[in-house]
Amino acid sequence: MDMIPSQHNCLLSSELRRKLDYKEGKKEDGHLVVEIMRRRFSPALITNKSWESFHFVGHQIKITEATDCYGAVVWPSALVLCYFLETNSKQYSLVDKNVIEIGAGTGLVSIVASLLGAYVTATDLPEVLGNLQYNILQNTKMKCKHQPQVKELSWGVDLEKNFPWSSCQFDYIMAADVVYYHPFLDELLLTFDHLCKDNTVILWAMRFRLDKENQFVGRFQELFDLEVLSDFPSLNITLYKAMRKSRKEV
């Protein structure tokens, strides 16, 4: 059936508004994105090790990277989350809070959370742990109130054995860019569900790339109440706060 003119115009107007809102959002977030990205400093000299320097919480943080896996590179979502933690340290105080980061990668978010006074457990796959441990030790030793721990966590695997639900009490779960094109989204959701208590706050920075990310957000919202804290259209990154839905709602 042909669309009548009023319907057609309505759809055009809606699409036009969406595009205009997106362009306006990119303009508005420009200055903030510049401020966030200024926290990253690339070395002037090329060395045999790939590394970058970051400045958060009054500290220079030197991160060693690798190009052979996703988990050994600092992605923009991590900078967005670190900037939020630093600039919202009163509202979201991490002092003496129990924090776990999933998919910690190079450890930047865990390092910043540690410098802000948290008890931090940084987790990732076995092949990433060596570099993660190195970065965390180099940047937190004798600088933090609580020395962070590094622990293996393969999403969905031996969760109860390695992180017993009855004894794991995390105030915050941190995640930066953990949703991308990989076959473990079901396991990731299971991991969020296992680690999260009723009063746990999830802070999750996500870069949207494909429809698969949108689908994951929809499934995530079946278990968790989701709130947008910040949106960066120019980076395709959204920073979320989430908490578990009431058991009666699920």
Side-chain angles (χ1 to χ4, degrees), residues 10 24 36 47 68 76 86 88-89 108-109 130 135 149 180 203 208 211 245 249-250:
C10 183
E24 192 62 32
I36 293 172
T47 64
D68 55 351
E86 180 190 62
N88 293 272
S89 59
L108 180 61
V109 172
N135 283 330
Q149 297 181 341
Y180 52 91
L203 295 176
F208 287 83
D211 286 341
K245 286 181 181 287
E249 297 179 50
V250 178

Side-chain angles (χ1 to χ4, degrees), residues 20-77:
L20 289 173
D21 288 344
Y22 177 74
K23 289 181 179 179
E24 192 62 32
K26 291 183 74 173
K27 289 180 183 178
E28 290 179 358
D29 83 347
H31 70 284
L32 188 53
V33 168
V34 169
E35 172 61 26
I36 293 172
M37 294 307 160
R38 283 176 57 190
R39 305 303 186 91
R40 168 184 251 154
F41 304 91
S42 297
L45 297 175
I46 299 175
T47 64
N48 60 343
K49 279 190 176 183
S50 176
W51 64 273
E52 288 185 296
S53 182
F54 303 84
H55 193 273
F56 287 103
V57 203
H59 291 266
Q60 182 181 5
I61 302 169
K62 187 175 178 180
I63 296 291
T64 299
E65 300 179 314
T67 56
D68 55 351
C69 69
Y70 289 120
V73 176
V74 177
W75 298 99
S77 295

Side-chain angles (χ1 to χ4, degrees), residues 107-127:
L108 180 61
V109 172
S110 288
I111 291 165
V112 171
S114 298
L115 293 171
L116 286 167
Y119 294 95
V120 174
T121 302
T123 69
D124 214 313
L125 296 169
E127 57 267 29

Side-chain angles (χ1 to χ4, degrees), residues 145-163:
K145 187 176 182 181
H146 312 290
Q147 187 60 35
Q149 297 181 341
V150 174
K151 194 169 181 179
E152 177 185 339
L153 173 54
S154 299
W155 298 336
V157 178
D158 293 331
L159 292 175
E160 183 57 31
K161 176 183 175 183
N162 297 324
F163 298 88

Side-chain angles (χ1 to χ4, degrees), residues 12 16 32 64 66 70 113-114 129 135 145 147-148 170 174 189 191 195 207 210 220 234:
L12 281 177
L16 181 59
L32 188 53
T64 299
Y70 289 120
S114 298
L129 294 187
N135 283 330
K145 187 176 182 181
Q147 187 60 35
F170 295 111
M174 308 282 183
L189 188 59
T191 302
L195 296 174
R207 184 174 185 181
L210 302 166
F220 185 89
S234 62

